[in-house]
Amino acid sequence: MIELRKLASTASGEIVYTLTQKRPQMDRQTIIGKGKLQELVLQAEAYEADLIIFNHEMTPRQSQLVSEAVGIPTIDRVQLILDIFAMSARSKEGKLQVELAQLEYLLPRLAGQGKSLSRLGGGIGTRGPGETKLETDRRHIHDKIVGVKRELKAVAAHRVRNRQKRQTSEIFQIGLIGYTNAGKSTILNLLTQADMYAKNQLFATLDPLTKKWCLAEGFEITVTDTVGFIQELPTQLIDAFHSTLEESQVMDLLLHVVDVSSPDRILQEHTVLQLMKELKMSDKPILTVYNKADQIDPALFIPSLFPHVLISAKNKEGKEKLVEAIKRQLMELMEPYTLLIASDDGQRLSALCRQTLVLEKHFVEEKNSYEVKGFAKKKSRWIKK
């Protein structure tokens, strides 16, 4: 319920009253019992509410019955998340993905909504593809879904080509994953000076962004920020955002960012790991980054995932600790090499520094060459077969 409050706040909603009920099982028609429904009607009237938000996913019939009883629109957690995604989408692909998810979610809910869809609304639950599309018949919505899927396919193909380019160029790729609002964009900004939009709200980032990060040794890495996960992430969103989430599947190393100050930290970790399993990403090397250490007492911190690093992305010391932890992981994942580079082959030496992690470099006079020691990606052209 605390998370639902945060979601509503992100969607620019103001919570006027919260109602909870403990039941052995949910009411099939209205989720809450008859007595609670009467209480909901009275409280909605007393607080002059414009909208009811349920934390459970509702069937079209449940939503309709509660709306009719209370007399104001009723949405569930899924529609609220879709609404936030509609607000956050910036790129063409992001907007298409949100539109697809919303259309697929709203399609079975068209029946009996004639009255509520007869005019354009404002506020939570009305953003996105727009009511005009929903007023048309089902066939038109189906056609629209097919059209959006076709457009997404073309954008996804372009994304695949970009990924393949990065893979063939032997660039080491790091992906940021984690629960929403864990601090992924802040870490991207910390490492790459990306000037990415980072705010203390859920789903501030929707569109994946890849930036180049150059280590002090000269090694060039790409860092990709992705959409945050959330408990019970709607299936419509997983399907619609598949091409975006695929970005994480080709990474060489994943940084799992965890908000260490969250009271639900363990649950959030489990949610991310479960979603990674569903997306067939469990076999990827992961470094857990416990972020927001400035908000807890480090002496009382007990980690649950390994390998890990505890940092605060807000300070310089945090950056240093993170970079060192990443370097340790790089050395575990890469192969060591020792090469002799002729002193007049500056171009090769420069390429070696950019494409591998150089740890030692010294001039050998008798051979008129540089002896270089470091680590390179497995199957790299720098590794002698």
PDB file of all heavy atoms in Angstrom, residues 4 8 11 31 50-58 62-64 66-67 72-84 105-106 109 113 123-126:
ATOM      1  N   LEU A   4       1.858   1.727  -3.491  1.00  0.00           N
ATOM      2  CA  LEU A   4       0.720   2.238  -4.277  1.00  0.00           C
ATOM      3  C   LEU A   4       0.585   3.746  -4.077  1.00  0.00           C
ATOM      4  O   LEU A   4       0.308   4.492  -5.016  1.00  0.00           O
ATOM      5  CB  LEU A   4      -0.568   1.527  -3.863  1.00  0.00           C
ATOM      6  CG  LEU A   4      -1.801   1.840  -4.720  1.00  0.00           C
ATOM      7  CD1 LEU A   4      -1.675   1.246  -6.109  1.00  0.00           C
ATOM      8  CD2 LEU A   4      -3.074   1.330  -4.062  1.00  0.00           C
ATOM      9  N   ALA A   8       0.820   6.541  -7.003  1.00  0.00           N
ATOM     10  CA  ALA A   8      -0.212   7.568  -7.219  1.00  0.00           C
ATOM     11  C   ALA A   8       0.396   8.960  -7.179  1.00  0.00           C
ATOM     12  O   ALA A   8       0.043   9.841  -7.972  1.00  0.00           O
ATOM     13  CB  ALA A   8      -1.302   7.437  -6.164  1.00  0.00           C
ATOM     14  N   ALA A  11       2.127   9.740 -10.327  1.00  0.00           N
ATOM     15  CA  ALA A  11       1.154  10.065 -11.377  1.00  0.00           C
ATOM     16  C   ALA A  11       0.422  11.380 -11.089  1.00  0.00           C
ATOM     17  O   ALA A  11      -0.620  11.658 -11.682  1.00  0.00           O
ATOM     18  CB  ALA A  11       0.148   8.931 -11.500  1.00  0.00           C
ATOM     19  N   ILE A  31     -14.168  -7.427  -5.054  1.00  0.00           N
ATOM     20  CA  ILE A  31     -12.901  -7.592  -4.319  1.00  0.00           C
ATOM     21  C   ILE A  31     -13.111  -7.396  -2.816  1.00  0.00           C
ATOM     22  O   ILE A  31     -12.799  -8.249  -2.017  1.00  0.00           O
ATOM     23  CB  ILE A  31     -11.759  -6.693  -4.859  1.00  0.00           C
ATOM     24  CG1 ILE A  31     -11.404  -7.137  -6.283  1.00  0.00           C
ATOM     25  CG2 ILE A  31     -10.526  -6.758  -3.953  1.00  0.00           C
ATOM     26  CD1 ILE A  31     -10.242  -6.420  -6.928  1.00  0.00           C
ATOM     27  N   ASP A  50     -12.018  11.928  -6.765  1.00  0.00           N
ATOM     28  CA  ASP A  50     -12.276  11.898  -8.213  1.00  0.00           C
ATOM     29  C   ASP A  50     -12.018  10.510  -8.792  1.00  0.00           C
ATOM     30  O   ASP A  50     -12.415  10.223  -9.917  1.00  0.00           O
ATOM     31  CB  ASP A  50     -11.356  12.888  -8.951  1.00  0.00           C
ATOM     32  CG  ASP A  50     -11.513  14.301  -8.410  1.00  0.00           C
ATOM     33  OD1 ASP A  50     -12.655  14.781  -8.405  1.00  0.00           O
ATOM     34  OD2 ASP A  50     -10.496  14.901  -7.994  1.00  0.00           O
ATOM     35  N   LEU A  51     -11.302   9.692  -8.025  1.00  0.00           N
ATOM     36  CA  LEU A  51     -10.861   8.409  -8.554  1.00  0.00           C
ATOM     37  C   LEU A  51     -10.603   7.413  -7.421  1.00  0.00           C
ATOM     38  O   LEU A  51     -10.124   7.801  -6.356  1.00  0.00           O
ATOM     39  CB  LEU A  51      -9.545   8.621  -9.348  1.00  0.00           C
ATOM     40  CG  LEU A  51      -8.914   7.428 -10.045  1.00  0.00           C
ATOM     41  CD1 LEU A  51      -9.706   7.056 -11.293  1.00  0.00           C
ATOM     42  CD2 LEU A  51      -7.479   7.745 -10.439  1.00  0.00           C
ATOM     43  N   ILE A  52     -10.903   6.142  -7.665  1.00  0.00           N
ATOM     44  CA  ILE A  52     -10.604   5.064  -6.712  1.00  0.00           C
ATOM     45  C   ILE A  52      -9.498   4.212  -7.334  1.00  0.00           C
ATOM     46  O   ILE A  52      -9.595   3.837  -8.511  1.00  0.00           O
ATOM     47  CB  ILE A  52     -11.843   4.159  -6.452  1.00  0.00           C
ATOM     48  CG1 ILE A  52     -13.060   4.973  -6.006  1.00  0.00           C
ATOM     49  CG2 ILE A  52     -11.499   3.042  -5.463  1.00  0.00           C
ATOM     50  CD1 ILE A  52     -13.008   5.526  -4.612  1.00  0.00           C
ATOM     51  N   ILE A  53      -8.454   3.898  -6.560  1.00  0.00           N
ATOM     52  CA  ILE A  53      -7.382   3.032  -7.069  1.00  0.00           C
ATOM     53  C   ILE A  53      -7.292   1.783  -6.199  1.00  0.00           C
ATOM     54  O   ILE A  53      -7.115   1.879  -4.985  1.00  0.00           O
ATOM     55  CB  ILE A  53      -6.010   3.750  -7.074  1.00  0.00           C
ATOM     56  CG1 ILE A  53      -6.081   5.067  -7.860  1.00  0.00           C
ATOM     57  CG2 ILE A  53      -4.934   2.847  -7.683  1.00  0.00           C
ATOM     58  CD1 ILE A  53      -4.818   5.923  -7.766  1.00  0.00           C
ATOM     59  N   PHE A  54      -7.405   0.611  -6.817  1.00  0.00           N
ATOM     60  CA  PHE A  54      -7.275  -0.667  -6.115  1.00  0.00           C
ATOM     61  C   PHE A  54      -5.859  -1.205  -6.286  1.00  0.00           C
ATOM     62  O   PHE A  54      -5.277  -1.086  -7.373  1.00  0.00           O
ATOM     63  CB  PHE A  54      -8.277  -1.682  -6.682  1.00  0.00           C
ATOM     64  CG  PHE A  54      -9.619  -1.671  -5.988  1.00  0.00           C
ATOM     65  CD1 PHE A  54     -10.506  -0.612  -6.193  1.00  0.00           C
ATOM     66  CD2 PHE A  54      -9.998  -2.693  -5.141  1.00  0.00           C
ATOM     67  CE1 PHE A  54     -11.742  -0.586  -5.566  1.00  0.00           C
ATOM     68  CE2 PHE A  54     -11.234  -2.678  -4.500  1.00  0.00           C
ATOM     69  CZ  PHE A  54     -12.109  -1.622  -4.707  1.00  0.00           C
ATOM     70  N   ASN A  55      -5.328  -1.818  -5.236  1.00  0.00           N
ATOM     71  CA  ASN A  55      -3.966  -2.368  -5.315  1.00  0.00           C
ATOM     72  C   ASN A  55      -3.941  -3.701  -6.065  1.00  0.00           C
ATOM     73  O   ASN A  55      -2.894  -4.146  -6.500  1.00  0.00           O
ATOM     74  CB  ASN A  55      -3.377  -2.545  -3.909  1.00  0.00           C
ATOM     75  CG  ASN A  55      -1.864  -2.664  -3.941  1.00  0.00           C
ATOM     76  OD1 ASN A  55      -1.212  -2.089  -4.802  1.00  0.00           O
ATOM     77  ND2 ASN A  55      -1.299  -3.430  -3.028  1.00  0.00           N
ATOM     78  N   HIS A  56      -5.100  -4.363  -6.176  1.00  0.00           N
ATOM     79  CA  HIS A  56      -5.178  -5.646  -6.880  1.00  0.00           C
ATOM     80  C   HIS A  56      -5.585  -5.426  -8.327  1.00  0.00           C
ATOM     81  O   HIS A  56      -6.302  -4.476  -8.635  1.00  0.00           O
ATOM     82  CB  HIS A  56      -6.213  -6.573  -6.227  1.00  0.00           C
ATOM     83  CG  HIS A  56      -5.855  -6.960  -4.837  1.00  0.00           C
ATOM     84  ND1 HIS A  56      -6.171  -6.178  -3.756  1.00  0.00           N
ATOM     85  CD2 HIS A  56      -5.183  -8.035  -4.358  1.00  0.00           C
ATOM     86  CE1 HIS A  56      -5.713  -6.764  -2.649  1.00  0.00           C
ATOM     87  NE2 HIS A  56      -5.112  -7.890  -2.989  1.00  0.00           N
ATOM     88  N   GLU A  57      -5.154  -6.352  -9.192  1.00  0.00           N
ATOM     89  CA  GLU A  57      -5.601  -6.280 -10.583  1.00  0.00           C
ATOM     90  C   GLU A  57      -7.075  -6.647 -10.626  1.00  0.00           C
ATOM     91  O   GLU A  57      -7.501  -7.643 -10.035  1.00  0.00           O
ATOM     92  CB  GLU A  57      -4.787  -7.252 -11.451  1.00  0.00           C
ATOM     93  CG  GLU A  57      -5.052  -7.061 -12.931  1.00  0.00           C
ATOM     94  CD  GLU A  57      -4.105  -7.842 -13.830  1.00  0.00           C
ATOM     95  OE1 GLU A  57      -3.058  -8.307 -13.352  1.00  0.00           O
ATOM     96  OE2 GLU A  57      -4.427  -7.976 -15.028  1.00  0.00           O
ATOM     97  N   MET A  58      -7.859  -5.826 -11.307  1.00  0.00           N
ATOM     98  CA  MET A  58      -9.313  -6.035 -11.348  1.00  0.00           C
ATOM     99  C   MET A  58      -9.739  -6.552 -12.717  1.00  0.00           C
ATOM    100  O   MET A  58      -9.157  -6.189 -13.734  1.00  0.00           O
ATOM    101  CB  MET A  58     -10.051  -4.716 -11.065  1.00  0.00           C
ATOM    102  CG  MET A  58      -9.714  -4.077  -9.741  1.00  0.00           C
ATOM    103  SD  MET A  58     -10.479  -2.451  -9.567  1.00  0.00           S
ATOM    104  CE  MET A  58     -12.079  -2.883  -8.881  1.00  0.00           C
ATOM    105  N   GLN A  62     -15.375  -6.383 -12.359  1.00  0.00           N
ATOM    106  CA  GLN A  62     -15.160  -5.854 -11.000  1.00  0.00           C
ATOM    107  C   GLN A  62     -15.036  -4.330 -11.037  1.00  0.00           C
ATOM    108  O   GLN A  62     -15.646  -3.620 -10.239  1.00  0.00           O
ATOM    109  CB  GLN A  62     -13.895  -6.475 -10.392  1.00  0.00           C
ATOM    110  CG  GLN A  62     -14.067  -7.907  -9.947  1.00  0.00           C
ATOM    111  CD  GLN A  62     -12.758  -8.575  -9.589  1.00  0.00           C
ATOM    112  OE1 GLN A  62     -11.680  -8.123  -9.970  1.00  0.00           O
ATOM    113  NE2 GLN A  62     -12.826  -9.671  -8.846  1.00  0.00           N
ATOM    114  N   SER A  63     -14.237  -3.857 -11.980  1.00  0.00           N
ATOM    115  CA  SER A  63     -14.019  -2.409 -12.124  1.00  0.00           C
ATOM    116  C   SER A  63     -15.340  -1.693 -12.397  1.00  0.00           C
ATOM    117  O   SER A  63     -15.633  -0.642 -11.821  1.00  0.00           O
ATOM    118  CB  SER A  63     -13.028  -2.171 -13.268  1.00  0.00           C
ATOM    119  OG  SER A  63     -12.812  -0.808 -13.439  1.00  0.00           O
ATOM    120  N   GLN A  64     -16.153  -2.304 -13.266  1.00  0.00           N
ATOM    121  CA  GLN A  64     -17.440  -1.708 -13.636  1.00  0.00           C
ATOM    122  C   GLN A  64     -18.404  -1.663 -12.443  1.00  0.00           C
ATOM    123  O   GLN A  64     -19.038  -0.640 -12.181  1.00  0.00           O
ATOM    124  CB  GLN A  64     -18.050  -2.538 -14.781  1.00  0.00           C
ATOM    125  CG  GLN A  64     -19.239  -1.860 -15.464  1.00  0.00           C
ATOM    126  CD  GLN A  64     -19.873  -2.771 -16.506  1.00  0.00           C
ATOM    127  OE1 GLN A  64     -19.297  -3.771 -16.914  1.00  0.00           O
ATOM    128  NE2 GLN A  64     -21.090  -2.434 -16.916  1.00  0.00           N
ATOM    129  N   VAL A  66     -17.713  -1.729  -9.143  1.00  0.00           N
ATOM    130  CA  VAL A  66     -17.271  -0.784  -8.101  1.00  0.00           C
ATOM    131  C   VAL A  66     -17.526   0.652  -8.564  1.00  0.00           C
ATOM    132  O   VAL A  66     -18.012   1.488  -7.798  1.00  0.00           O
ATOM    133  CB  VAL A  66     -15.776  -0.999  -7.735  1.00  0.00           C
ATOM    134  CG1 VAL A  66     -15.307   0.063  -6.743  1.00  0.00           C
ATOM    135  CG2 VAL A  66     -15.559  -2.387  -7.130  1.00  0.00           C
ATOM    136  N   SER A  67     -17.224   0.940  -9.833  1.00  0.00           N
ATOM    137  CA  SER A  67     -17.459   2.294 -10.380  1.00  0.00           C
ATOM    138  C   SER A  67     -18.929   2.679 -10.279  1.00  0.00           C
ATOM    139  O   SER A  67     -19.267   3.808  -9.913  1.00  0.00           O
ATOM    140  CB  SER A  67     -17.020   2.361 -11.854  1.00  0.00           C
ATOM    141  OG  SER A  67     -15.630   2.276 -11.940  1.00  0.00           O
ATOM    142  N   ILE A  72     -17.862   6.987  -9.227  1.00  0.00           N
ATOM    143  CA  ILE A  72     -16.672   7.638  -9.824  1.00  0.00           C
ATOM    144  C   ILE A  72     -15.786   6.561 -10.459  1.00  0.00           C
ATOM    145  O   ILE A  72     -15.879   5.387 -10.094  1.00  0.00           O
ATOM    146  CB  ILE A  72     -15.854   8.466  -8.783  1.00  0.00           C
ATOM    147  CG1 ILE A  72     -15.450   7.601  -7.583  1.00  0.00           C
ATOM    148  CG2 ILE A  72     -16.574   9.715  -8.366  1.00  0.00           C
ATOM    149  CD1 ILE A  72     -14.539   8.320  -6.603  1.00  0.00           C
ATOM    150  N   PRO A  73     -14.925   6.939 -11.412  1.00  0.00           N
ATOM    151  CA  PRO A  73     -14.069   5.955 -12.080  1.00  0.00           C
ATOM    152  C   PRO A  73     -13.207   5.161 -11.088  1.00  0.00           C
ATOM    153  O   PRO A  73     -12.745   5.694 -10.084  1.00  0.00           O
ATOM    154  CB  PRO A  73     -13.188   6.794 -13.005  1.00  0.00           C
ATOM    155  CG  PRO A  73     -13.905   8.079 -13.177  1.00  0.00           C
ATOM    156  CD  PRO A  73     -14.679   8.302 -11.916  1.00  0.00           C
ATOM    157  N   THR A  74     -13.013   3.878 -11.393  1.00  0.00           N
ATOM    158  CA  THR A  74     -12.189   2.991 -10.562  1.00  0.00           C
ATOM    159  C   THR A  74     -11.137   2.335 -11.437  1.00  0.00           C
ATOM    160  O   THR A  74     -11.459   1.779 -12.491  1.00  0.00           O
ATOM    161  CB  THR A  74     -13.065   1.899  -9.906  1.00  0.00           C
ATOM    162  OG1 THR A  74     -14.081   2.542  -9.130  1.00  0.00           O
ATOM    163  CG2 THR A  74     -12.237   1.001  -9.013  1.00  0.00           C
ATOM    164  N   ILE A  75      -9.869   2.427 -11.031  1.00  0.00           N
ATOM    165  CA  ILE A  75      -8.796   1.772 -11.784  1.00  0.00           C
ATOM    166  C   ILE A  75      -8.009   0.872 -10.837  1.00  0.00           C
ATOM    167  O   ILE A  75      -8.170   0.964  -9.616  1.00  0.00           O
ATOM    168  CB  ILE A  75      -7.847   2.792 -12.482  1.00  0.00           C
ATOM    169  CG1 ILE A  75      -7.065   3.621 -11.446  1.00  0.00           C
ATOM    170  CG2 ILE A  75      -8.598   3.685 -13.455  1.00  0.00           C
ATOM    171  CD1 ILE A  75      -5.904   4.408 -12.019  1.00  0.00           C
ATOM    172  N   ASP A  76      -7.172   0.008 -11.394  1.00  0.00           N
ATOM    173  CA  ASP A  76      -6.342  -0.855 -10.551  1.00  0.00           C
ATOM    174  C   ASP A  76      -4.871  -0.479 -10.694  1.00  0.00           C
ATOM    175  O   ASP A  76      -4.516   0.424 -11.459  1.00  0.00           O
ATOM    176  CB  ASP A  76      -6.587  -2.334 -10.871  1.00  0.00           C
ATOM    177  CG  ASP A  76      -6.269  -2.689 -12.323  1.00  0.00           C
ATOM    178  OD1 ASP A  76      -5.608  -1.879 -12.993  1.00  0.00           O
ATOM    179  OD2 ASP A  76      -6.676  -3.772 -12.776  1.00  0.00           O
ATOM    180  N   ARG A  77      -4.038  -1.189  -9.966  1.00  0.00           N
ATOM    181  CA  ARG A  77      -2.592  -0.945  -9.944  1.00  0.00           C
ATOM    182  C   ARG A  77      -1.977  -0.992 -11.346  1.00  0.00           C
ATOM    183  O   ARG A  77      -1.119  -0.185 -11.698  1.00  0.00           O
ATOM    184  CB  ARG A  77      -1.965  -2.008  -9.036  1.00  0.00           C
ATOM    185  CG  ARG A  77      -0.461  -1.990  -8.941  1.00  0.00           C
ATOM    186  CD  ARG A  77      -0.029  -3.291  -8.256  1.00  0.00           C
ATOM    187  NE  ARG A  77       1.411  -3.465  -8.313  1.00  0.00           N
ATOM    188  CZ  ARG A  77       2.248  -3.017  -7.389  1.00  0.00           C
ATOM    189  NH1 ARG A  77       1.789  -2.360  -6.358  1.00  0.00           N
ATOM    190  NH2 ARG A  77       3.541  -3.231  -7.510  1.00  0.00           N
ATOM    191  N   VAL A  78      -2.464  -1.960 -12.171  1.00  0.00           N
ATOM    192  CA  VAL A  78      -1.927  -2.121 -13.530  1.00  0.00           C
ATOM    193  C   VAL A  78      -2.160  -0.868 -14.351  1.00  0.00           C
ATOM    194  O   VAL A  78      -1.247  -0.341 -14.989  1.00  0.00           O
ATOM    195  CB  VAL A  78      -2.567  -3.354 -14.237  1.00  0.00           C
ATOM    196  CG1 VAL A  78      -2.083  -3.465 -15.669  1.00  0.00           C
ATOM    197  CG2 VAL A  78      -2.257  -4.628 -13.475  1.00  0.00           C
ATOM    198  N   GLN A  79      -3.387  -0.358 -14.320  1.00  0.00           N
ATOM    199  CA  GLN A  79      -3.713   0.834 -15.110  1.00  0.00           C
ATOM    200  C   GLN A  79      -2.940   2.050 -14.607  1.00  0.00           C
ATOM    201  O   GLN A  79      -2.539   2.910 -15.385  1.00  0.00           O
ATOM    202  CB  GLN A  79      -5.222   1.106 -15.085  1.00  0.00           C
ATOM    203  CG  GLN A  79      -5.643   2.052 -16.225  1.00  0.00           C
ATOM    204  CD  GLN A  79      -7.141   2.148 -16.386  1.00  0.00           C
ATOM    205  OE1 GLN A  79      -7.890   1.303 -15.874  1.00  0.00           O
ATOM    206  NE2 GLN A  79      -7.595   3.156 -17.086  1.00  0.00           N
ATOM    207  N   LEU A  80      -2.713   2.103 -13.299  1.00  0.00           N
ATOM    208  CA  LEU A  80      -1.940   3.210 -12.722  1.00  0.00           C
ATOM    209  C   LEU A  80      -0.495   3.180 -13.233  1.00  0.00           C
ATOM    210  O   LEU A  80       0.051   4.207 -13.623  1.00  0.00           O
ATOM    211  CB  LEU A  80      -1.969   3.114 -11.196  1.00  0.00           C
ATOM    212  CG  LEU A  80      -1.172   4.160 -10.408  1.00  0.00           C
ATOM    213  CD1 LEU A  80      -1.671   5.567 -10.699  1.00  0.00           C
ATOM    214  CD2 LEU A  80      -1.246   3.883  -8.904  1.00  0.00           C
ATOM    215  N   ILE A  81       0.105   1.970 -13.259  1.00  0.00           N
ATOM    216  CA  ILE A  81       1.480   1.833 -13.763  1.00  0.00           C
ATOM    217  C   ILE A  81       1.535   2.188 -15.248  1.00  0.00           C
ATOM    218  O   ILE A  81       2.440   2.895 -15.700  1.00  0.00           O
ATOM    219  CB  ILE A  81       2.022   0.407 -13.499  1.00  0.00           C
ATOM    220  CG1 ILE A  81       2.219   0.178 -11.989  1.00  0.00           C
ATOM    221  CG2 ILE A  81       3.349   0.166 -14.230  1.00  0.00           C
ATOM    222  CD1 ILE A  81       2.578  -1.241 -11.588  1.00  0.00           C
ATOM    223  N   LEU A  82       0.528   1.734 -16.008  1.00  0.00           N
ATOM    224  CA  LEU A  82       0.477   2.073 -17.437  1.00  0.00           C
ATOM    225  C   LEU A  82       0.395   3.580 -17.630  1.00  0.00           C
ATOM    226  O   LEU A  82       0.998   4.144 -18.543  1.00  0.00           O
ATOM    227  CB  LEU A  82      -0.738   1.405 -18.098  1.00  0.00           C
ATOM    228  CG  LEU A  82      -0.690  -0.113 -18.294  1.00  0.00           C
ATOM    229  CD1 LEU A  82      -2.033  -0.631 -18.776  1.00  0.00           C
ATOM    230  CD2 LEU A  82       0.388  -0.511 -19.284  1.00  0.00           C
ATOM    231  N   ASP A  83      -0.351   4.229 -16.744  1.00  0.00           N
ATOM    232  CA  ASP A  83      -0.518   5.685 -16.806  1.00  0.00           C
ATOM    233  C   ASP A  83       0.812   6.405 -16.558  1.00  0.00           C
ATOM    234  O   ASP A  83       1.146   7.378 -17.242  1.00  0.00           O
ATOM    235  CB  ASP A  83      -1.540   6.096 -15.743  1.00  0.00           C
ATOM    236  CG  ASP A  83      -2.036   7.504 -15.955  1.00  0.00           C
ATOM    237  OD1 ASP A  83      -2.868   7.691 -16.848  1.00  0.00           O
ATOM    238  OD2 ASP A  83      -1.566   8.404 -15.253  1.00  0.00           O
ATOM    239  N   ILE A  84       1.580   5.904 -15.578  1.00  0.00           N
ATOM    240  CA  ILE A  84       2.885   6.494 -15.267  1.00  0.00           C
ATOM    241  C   ILE A  84       3.835   6.303 -16.450  1.00  0.00           C
ATOM    242  O   ILE A  84       4.589   7.206 -16.822  1.00  0.00           O
ATOM    243  CB  ILE A  84       3.478   5.883 -13.978  1.00  0.00           C
ATOM    244  CG1 ILE A  84       2.622   6.280 -12.771  1.00  0.00           C
ATOM    245  CG2 ILE A  84       4.927   6.323 -13.763  1.00  0.00           C
ATOM    246  CD1 ILE A  84       2.901   5.478 -11.519  1.00  0.00           C
ATOM    247  N   TYR A 105      -4.560  -3.783 -22.707  1.00  0.00           N
ATOM    248  CA  TYR A 105      -5.192  -3.802 -21.385  1.00  0.00           C
ATOM    249  C   TYR A 105      -6.649  -3.325 -21.477  1.00  0.00           C
ATOM    250  O   TYR A 105      -7.545  -3.874 -20.834  1.00  0.00           O
ATOM    251  CB  TYR A 105      -4.412  -2.915 -20.418  1.00  0.00           C
ATOM    252  CG  TYR A 105      -5.059  -2.774 -19.058  1.00  0.00           C
ATOM    253  CD1 TYR A 105      -4.953  -3.787 -18.108  1.00  0.00           C
ATOM    254  CD2 TYR A 105      -5.789  -1.630 -18.715  1.00  0.00           C
ATOM    255  CE1 TYR A 105      -5.553  -3.676 -16.865  1.00  0.00           C
ATOM    256  CE2 TYR A 105      -6.386  -1.507 -17.482  1.00  0.00           C
ATOM    257  CZ  TYR A 105      -6.262  -2.529 -16.551  1.00  0.00           C
ATOM    258  OH  TYR A 105      -6.862  -2.411 -15.332  1.00  0.00           O
ATOM    259  N   LEU A 106      -6.881  -2.297 -22.290  1.00  0.00           N
ATOM    260  CA  LEU A 106      -8.212  -1.684 -22.349  1.00  0.00           C
ATOM    261  C   LEU A 106      -9.183  -2.405 -23.276  1.00  0.00           C
ATOM    262  O   LEU A 106     -10.393  -2.232 -23.155  1.00  0.00           O
ATOM    263  CB  LEU A 106      -8.092  -0.211 -22.772  1.00  0.00           C
ATOM    264  CG  LEU A 106      -7.418   0.710 -21.750  1.00  0.00           C
ATOM    265  CD1 LEU A 106      -7.088   2.048 -22.375  1.00  0.00           C
ATOM    266  CD2 LEU A 106      -8.290   0.914 -20.520  1.00  0.00           C
ATOM    267  N   ARG A 109     -11.928  -4.210 -21.746  1.00  0.00           N
ATOM    268  CA  ARG A 109     -12.670  -3.313 -20.850  1.00  0.00           C
ATOM    269  C   ARG A 109     -13.537  -2.316 -21.619  1.00  0.00           C
ATOM    270  O   ARG A 109     -14.055  -1.377 -21.052  1.00  0.00           O
ATOM    271  CB  ARG A 109     -11.685  -2.552 -19.941  1.00  0.00           C
ATOM    272  CG  ARG A 109     -11.056  -3.469 -18.912  1.00  0.00           C
ATOM    273  CD  ARG A 109      -9.822  -2.894 -18.277  1.00  0.00           C
ATOM    274  NE  ARG A 109      -9.389  -3.703 -17.142  1.00  0.00           N
ATOM    275  CZ  ARG A 109      -8.725  -4.852 -17.244  1.00  0.00           C
ATOM    276  NH1 ARG A 109      -8.397  -5.291 -18.440  1.00  0.00           N
ATOM    277  NH2 ARG A 109      -8.389  -5.549 -16.186  1.00  0.00           N
ATOM    278  N   GLN A 113     -18.416   0.755 -21.249  1.00  0.00           N
ATOM    279  CA  GLN A 113     -17.710   1.979 -20.873  1.00  0.00           C
ATOM    280  C   GLN A 113     -18.151   3.179 -21.708  1.00  0.00           C
ATOM    281  O   GLN A 113     -17.509   4.214 -21.674  1.00  0.00           O
ATOM    282  CB  GLN A 113     -16.189   1.776 -21.012  1.00  0.00           C
ATOM    283  CG  GLN A 113     -15.623   0.881 -19.935  1.00  0.00           C
ATOM    284  CD  GLN A 113     -14.140   1.135 -19.706  1.00  0.00           C
ATOM    285  OE1 GLN A 113     -13.604   2.157 -20.117  1.00  0.00           O
ATOM    286  NE2 GLN A 113     -13.471   0.219 -19.044  1.00  0.00           N
ATOM    287  N   GLY A 123      -6.309  13.680 -15.950  1.00  0.00           N
ATOM    288  CA  GLY A 123      -5.823  13.063 -14.712  1.00  0.00           C
ATOM    289  C   GLY A 123      -5.485  11.603 -14.879  1.00  0.00           C
ATOM    290  O   GLY A 123      -5.430  11.077 -15.977  1.00  0.00           O
ATOM    291  N   ILE A 124      -5.288  10.931 -13.736  1.00  0.00           N
ATOM    292  CA  ILE A 124      -4.811   9.548 -13.733  1.00  0.00           C
ATOM    293  C   ILE A 124      -5.792   8.621 -14.441  1.00  0.00           C
ATOM    294  O   ILE A 124      -6.987   8.701 -14.248  1.00  0.00           O
ATOM    295  CB  ILE A 124      -4.594   9.058 -12.280  1.00  0.00           C
ATOM    296  CG1 ILE A 124      -3.542   9.929 -11.595  1.00  0.00           C
ATOM    297  CG2 ILE A 124      -4.154   7.601 -12.233  1.00  0.00           C
ATOM    298  CD1 ILE A 124      -3.387   9.690 -10.125  1.00  0.00           C
ATOM    299  N   GLY A 125      -5.233   7.716 -15.259  1.00  0.00           N
ATOM    300  CA  GLY A 125      -6.045   6.708 -15.929  1.00  0.00           C
ATOM    301  C   GLY A 125      -6.578   7.134 -17.269  1.00  0.00           C
ATOM    302  O   GLY A 125      -7.277   6.386 -17.941  1.00  0.00           O
ATOM    303  N   THR A 126      -6.293   8.360 -17.688  1.00  0.00           N
ATOM    304  CA  THR A 126      -6.831   8.842 -18.973  1.00  0.00           C
ATOM    305  C   THR A 126      -5.746   9.220 -19.963  1.00  0.00           C
ATOM    306  O   THR A 126      -6.031   9.637 -21.060  1.00  0.00           O
ATOM    307  CB  THR A 126      -7.733  10.082 -18.751  1.00  0.00           C
ATOM    308  OG1 THR A 126      -6.932  11.116 -18.171  1.00  0.00           O
ATOM    309  CG2 THR A 126      -8.894   9.771 -17.848  1.00  0.00           C
TER     310      THR A 126
END
